């Protein structure tokens, strides 16, 4: 059983559209991280959220940490083909070191 | 800019064979970990280490051994490979809690067990 549930599992959209992916849990986290992984490579950190209700922006990407610190979302505005990849949420290491990642959302942006 | 280096990148084993996946980092990170990635399962933690001489089990440790004799190296050993261990393996390192917890990953090692 995954501690972190990500949805949807797959998302395919046209360039210019918006998308949101979700990371949910019944557990409370002191921090959550979002990574992006491209084919044949390891994941790369996008952001760490640490405060309930926090919103962080990274160019066209907006990350939100739920008020109760049990969930997070990633919103991409005007998606581009370069946004294609596997988006993974993970408990930050400020939590238990033993925790694993969510299963991820595979995002495909068609030109 | 080596970062985290994993070898080999590809390996094919027969059931019952043993092998070691190598992982080295040059960032003087205290925390190192091994994950396996399978379709639809995300990254599952196998073993981790918070410093030289200290290792602990993650979510899926069975069939794997690790050791941490130096800060730089964290090899993962498969003692008797099974087809269920066919996967892509990632090594990661981090400064840990003091460093904000960012994990730096290697490029992965794709293992096939026949």
């Amino acid at each position: 059983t995954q501690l972190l549930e990500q949805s949807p599992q797959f998302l395919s959209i046209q360039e210019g559209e918006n998308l949101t992916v979700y990371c949910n849990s019944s557990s409370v986290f002191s921090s959550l991280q979002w990574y992006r992984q491209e084919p044949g490579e390891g994941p790369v950190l996008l952001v760490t959220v640490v405060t309930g209700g926090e919103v962080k922006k990274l160019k066209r990407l907006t990350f939100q940490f739920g008020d109760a610190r049990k969930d997070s979302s990633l919103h991409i505005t005007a998606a581009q083909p370069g946004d294609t990849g596997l988006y993974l949420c993970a408990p930050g290491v400020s939590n238990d070191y033993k925790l694993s990642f969510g299963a991820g959302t595979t995002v495909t942006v068609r030109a | 800019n080596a970062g985290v280096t994993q070898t080999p990148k590809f390996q094919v084993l027969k059931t019952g064979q043993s092998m070691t996946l190598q992982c080295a980092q040059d960032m003087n990170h205290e925390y190192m970990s091994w994950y396996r990635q399978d379709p639809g399962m995300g990254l599952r933690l196998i073993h981790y280490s918070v410093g030289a001489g200290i290792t602990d089990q993650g979510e899926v440790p069975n069939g794997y051994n690790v050791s941490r004799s130096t800060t730089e190296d964290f090899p993962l050993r498969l003692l008797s490979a099974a087809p269920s261990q066919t996967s892509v393996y990632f090594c990661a390192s981090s400064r840990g809690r003091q460093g904000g917890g960012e994990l730096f990953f290697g490029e992965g090692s794709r293992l096939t067990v026949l």
Side-chain angles (χ1 to χ4, degrees):
Chain A
T1 304
Q2 297 280 158
L3 189 62
L4 289 170
E5 299 289 339
Q6 291 192 245
S7 61
Q9 186 176 0
F10 299 98
L11 194 55
S12 180
I13 61 170
Q14 200 71 30
E15 181 177 5
E17 294 181 337
N18 301 331
L19 68 97
T20 303
V21 299
Y22 301 92
C23 176
N24 296 297
S25 177
S26 58
S27 300
V28 176
F29 296 98
S30 57
S31 63
L32 279 178
Q33 296 178 324
W34 285 93
Y35 289 80
R36 180 169 65 206
Q37 184 180 20
E38 298 186 9
E41 299 181 7
V44 175
L45 180 69
L46 295 173
V47 78
T48 301
V49 287
V50 296
T51 305
E54 179 178 11
V55 176
K56 280 191 173 179
K57 293 191 175 183
L58 186 65
K59 296 184 179 178
R60 294 176 293 100
L61 279 61
T62 302
F63 303 86
Q64 186 161 8
F65 199 13
D67 291 340
R69 292 185 286 119
K70 293 182 178 181
D71 55 85
S72 182
S73 64
L74 159 59
H75 182 80
I76 301 179
T77 303
Q80 299 177 1
D83 296 323
T84 293
L86 175 65
Y87 289 83
L88 296 155
C89 67
V93 293
S94 57
N95 302 284
D96 188 336
Y97 275 129
K98 293 189 176 184
L99 301 179
S100 292
F101 283 51
T105 296
T106 298
V107 171
T108 302
V109 182
R110 305 184 305 274
Chain B
N1 293 345
V4 178
T5 302
Q6 289 183 233
T7 56
K9 285 187 169 46
F10 301 94
Q11 183 72 48
V12 178
L13 291 178
K14 294 182 180 179
T15 296
Q17 288 185 318
S18 62
M19 77 156 299
T20 299
L21 297 177
Q22 302 291 344
C23 177
Q25 53 93 6
D26 61 359
M27 297 174 281
N28 201 33
H29 285 169
E30 290 298 320
Y31 179 87
M32 296 185 73
S33 53
W34 276 102
Y35 296 85
R36 59 176 291 171
Q37 186 171 36
D38 303 291
M41 300 294 289
L43 288 161
R44 292 184 292 168
L45 183 64
I46 304 171
H47 285 285
Y48 68 94
S49 169
V50 297
I54 305 169
T55 64
D56 203 352
Q57 296 181 348
E59 180 186 358
V60 288
N62 292 341
Y64 307 95
N65 280 351
V66 292
S67 60
R68 185 94 180 269
S69 56
T70 67
T71 299
E72 295 77 20
D73 300 300
F74 191 44
L76 178 72
R77 297 184 185 85
L78 284 71
L79 299 178
S80 180
S84 61
Q85 294 178 303
T86 293
S87 187
V88 181
Y89 292 84
F90 286 95
C91 178
S93 73
S94 170
R95 287 178 59 197
R97 296 188 172 101
Q98 289 76 15
E102 177 177 2
L103 286 165
F104 294 84
F105 286 86
E107 293 185 337
S109 298
R110 183 176 295 274
L111 174 67
T112 301
V113 183
L114 303 175

